[in-house]
Amino acid sequence: MEDRELTEEEKKDLLCKGPEFYNPSHEWADKKVALFGMPGAFTPGCSGQQIPGLKATLAQYKTQGYDVVACLTFNDPWVMQAWRRFNVLKDEILFLTDIDTKFAKNLTWNEGERVSRFVILIDRGQVLYAVKEENFAEVTVTSADNIFHQMQLLKEEAEQS
């Protein structure tokens, strides 16, 4: 591919829009949600393992009845939009920012000013499952495959009760 100067229209398309207010309590009130807390955009664990894993298992999450898959980091909204675009995702995964780590700090699931690596499975406002990595640089209990397995277990439990 040949190097060339971008046109003004191409440059405009690359710009990220400003922050948009999103109220999860309202938006998720009647939904099943898989919320993935991640230390930061473009980091090896997040970009190299978690996002590719989520992309690969997204259809499986939908078969378990999950309406929303979201990831939350401390990064600002412009970085989150760029990260979503970098991963060639439109609205399949919701990219949210906890810029002051207020949410993560309320859970005590923060690493200083970063969000810890965690997953919370929510059904209509009720937490079904929550797990946090002991070492936020690792992706083990919060891997997309492990969380899909937890979803299956939760579904089996619900069917038996």
Side-chain angles (χ1 to χ4, degrees), residues 19-25 27-28 33-41 51 68-81 83-84 90 93-101 103 115 118 122:
E20 295 177 26
F21 178 76
Y22 187 84
N23 183 343
S25 296
E27 298 291 334
W28 299 348
V33 179
L35 176 62
F36 286 76
M38 300 183 195
I51 294 297
V68 177
V69 175
C71 71
L72 176 77
T73 76
F74 80 104
N75 297 105
D76 68 45
W78 293 275
V79 171
M80 293 301 283
Q81 287 181 40
W83 194 32
R84 179 183 51 79
K90 295 194 186 310
I93 298 174
L94 186 60
F95 283 69
L96 301 172
T97 184
D98 187 10
I99 199 145
D100 57 2
T101 59
F103 178 78
V115 173
F118 65 82
I122 305 160

Side-chain angles (χ1 to χ4, degrees), residues 11-45:
K11 288 178 187 176
K12 184 178 176 186
D13 287 342
L14 290 175
L15 294 176
C16 294
K17 297 175 184 158
E20 295 177 26
F21 178 76
Y22 187 84
N23 183 343
S25 296
H26 175 73
E27 298 291 334
W28 299 348
D30 62 346
K31 293 186 170 63
K32 284 182 83 170
V33 179
L35 176 62
F36 286 76
M38 300 183 195
F42 299 106
T43 59

Side-chain angles (χ1 to χ4, degrees), residues 49 85 130:
Q49 293 178 332
R85 287 180 179 180

Side-chain angles (χ1 to χ4, degrees), residues 89-135:
L89 292 162
K90 295 194 186 310
D91 297 325
E92 301 96 335
I93 298 174
L94 186 60
F95 283 69
L96 301 172
T97 184
D98 187 10
I99 199 145
D100 57 2
T101 59
K102 185 177 180 180
F103 178 78
K105 285 177 180 174
N106 282 337
L107 296 173
T108 65
W109 283 5
N110 61 297
E111 303 293 332
E113 295 306 311
R114 287 185 181 260
V115 173
S116 295
R117 191 178 308 281
F118 65 82
V119 176
I120 303 173
L121 299 179
I122 305 160
D123 186 0
R124 291 161 190 72
Q126 179 183 357
V127 174
L128 301 177
Y129 178 80
V131 66
K132 176 183 167 277
E133 291 285 355
E134 290 299 316
N135 178 347

